Amino acid sequence: MKLVRIAALALAALAASPSFAADGPKWSGWDDDLFARAQAEKRFVILDLEAVWCHWCHVMEKTTYADPKVKELLAKKYLPVRVDQDANPDLSSRYGDWGWPATIVFAPDGNEIAKIRGYIEPERMQALLKAVIDDPSPGPSVGEAFEVKPSTSAFLDKQQRATLMKNVDESYEEKLGGWGENQKYIDADSMDLAISRAEAGDAIAIKRARQTLDAAIALIDPVWGGVYQYSEGGAWTRAHFEKIMSFQAQYLRQYSQAYALWKDPKYLAAARDIERYLAEFLTSPEGAFYVSQDADLDHDTDGHKYYALADSERRKLGMPRIDKNLYARENGWAISGLAAYYNVTNDAMALAIAERAAKWVVDNRALADGGFRHSEKDRGGPFLGDTLAMGQAFIDLYAATGNRDWLARAAKAGDFVATFRDEAGGFFTSKTAEGKTGVLAKPAKLLDDQVQVSRYMNLLNRYFGNETYREQAAHAMRYLAGAAAGMMRPLPGVLLADEELAVEPTHITIVGHKDDARAQSLHALGRALPARYKRLEWLDLREGKLPNPDVEYPDLGEPAAFACSNRICSFPSFNAEELRATVAQMAKLKPARG
């Protein structure tokens, strides 16, 4: 998740579970007939976009929506709609920057009147509802949509890269670490960019990455493990206690990669604490992963009280609600995190858990043409994010195991991702519009999705040598280049996508039989070597050529490892010391982005 979205999330979090229910309005769901009813009844639509895991929506449920005057105004002139944002990616992608809870007021025809992020006090909500009734014209919160004109080039120019890098660098908080000042968390793309620069020997990037990783350990629950969503007030010690899968998967991956790079035992310990939380608390009996755990036990026992307790004291009081939905997207994220953890630990159980989850998603969420549903039944789907997350998970499992079946599934997922393409630029977040009229008549395009499409399709091209995948990556990148020209906020993901499209990944190939212990040892070494952007393959000549045989490897009669960079390949390595030295040498040959 990115800087602006986290900053918004920090203002307020999400939704009410049944255990938090109050005497509030009569809520309805989001459906195709919503605005037809609104027009027939001459009512405004108010959307409470929430989720099941956070603190401030519980407060809003207890205070604002239980307020008699608010309930009276809603009953008089509104259709109140409540939606779980985790279950509805089409809406959450459109309004994610409005924070949770996001409150959106629509005219009966579906056009926006007001958008408000975060907690709304009862008096302020009363004023908002009255103002809309008195004057339903769009307010200042509803600006004109930001129109992106795609660039003619699939690459950022030198000035764009310099400007974006300057914005990212200036967003870093030097005193305490982290990108952003008030809310403290690890921004995923900013950390990936810092690790990439650190691998190249950038001293400032090394300092920033390690300072942030060290500080963020304070967000890991010392009792159950797992990482809290963020800390507020410009400190790392004032946690909001939601445990959301996106953060578990991201931190598990990045602490594992940090351990590979620096071999600092505290990073491995952090990764282990997150992995044990996933295994114990967010794993379903079927082997798939749940979505999140609530910050609070109930209205009277919030996270500050509850998570200060020891294990036995917590369990005596009860368990904060776990959202037990099983979404393809969240499972893909978890699988990728576990694969990164397996790469540096060789923990066979972690790999088995990841593969079990992947097989469950394939059996229960797969579509016939290579994509994935979000849930058992999607409203507004299918969604781009589910197939992207699972496709990346398949690539990560292929690198972790050498099993070509996973790579074949990644290719099918890529073909499905291509069906979200908008020829006018970029890729849509969903295939279905949320409404027939107004601003909702066209599916949204999320910048984060464009970043992931570009990076994912580029990786597919690296593994398959298929120029169609590269063109899809370039299509997303042209949209990002156009968007970056008109936005001044930090966009580290755009820099990552641009660099990966322009530069070859670290390419390590193990040549040897997969049942040969010496080849297995070399593959384990290749997995554990630090390289955030890496293409790792295992060539067992009994299986035929690799999907992208851009290098011909000799059969030396014994297992060997080869490293390639910038179209130059090394002499074979036969042991750990040789392979590490070879990869380090190849990394120096990577061309810098000019």
Side-chain angles (χ1 to χ4, degrees), residues 45-71:
V45 173
I46 183 168
L47 171 63
D48 178 31
L49 191 57
E50 52 167 34
V52 301
W53 38 258
C54 298
H55 170 71
W56 281 104
C57 265
H58 306 331
V59 177
M60 196 160 166
E61 174 80 4
K62 183 180 181 180
T63 59
T64 304
Y65 287 121
D67 178 78
K69 187 62 177 177
V70 169
K71 290 193 294 182

Side-chain angles (χ1 to χ4, degrees), residues 130-146:
K130 290 176 182 175
V132 169
I133 292 171
D134 293 341
D135 180 8
S137 57
S141 63
V142 181
E144 291 187 12
F146 178 67

Side-chain angles (χ1 to χ4, degrees), residues 456-466 469-470 499-505 507 533 535 537 548 550 567:
Y456 175 59
M457 289 297 196
N458 173 66
L459 263 183
L460 284 180
N461 175 57
R462 304 297 184 183
Y463 275 106
F464 284 94
N466 185 330
Y469 293 135
R470 181 173 177 81
E499 179 178 335
E500 290 172 6
L501 194 61
V503 178
E504 291 185 12
H507 184 191
Y533 179 41
R535 172 185 166 193
E537 300 188 276
N548 181 15
D550 50 352
R567 303 188 182 278

Side-chain angles (χ1 to χ4, degrees), residues 111-171:
N111 280 303
E112 297 164 351
I113 296 175
K115 297 187 285 191
I116 301 176
R117 58 165 60 94
Y119 174 72
I120 306 175
E121 302 85 350
E123 295 77 11
R124 186 179 172 211
M125 179 64 84
Q126 292 173 23
L128 169 66
L129 298 175
K130 290 176 182 175
V132 169
I133 292 171
D134 293 341
D135 180 8
S137 57
S141 63
V142 181
E144 291 187 12
F146 178 67
E147 292 293 333
V148 175
K149 182 179 179 181
S151 171
T152 57
S153 172
F155 298 101
L156 301 173
D157 61 38
K158 189 173 183 178
Q159 182 59 48
Q160 281 181 305
R161 287 197 300 275
T163 299
L164 290 179
M165 189 62 75
K166 181 174 182 286
N167 290 343
V168 172
D169 286 341
E170 290 179 349
S171 73

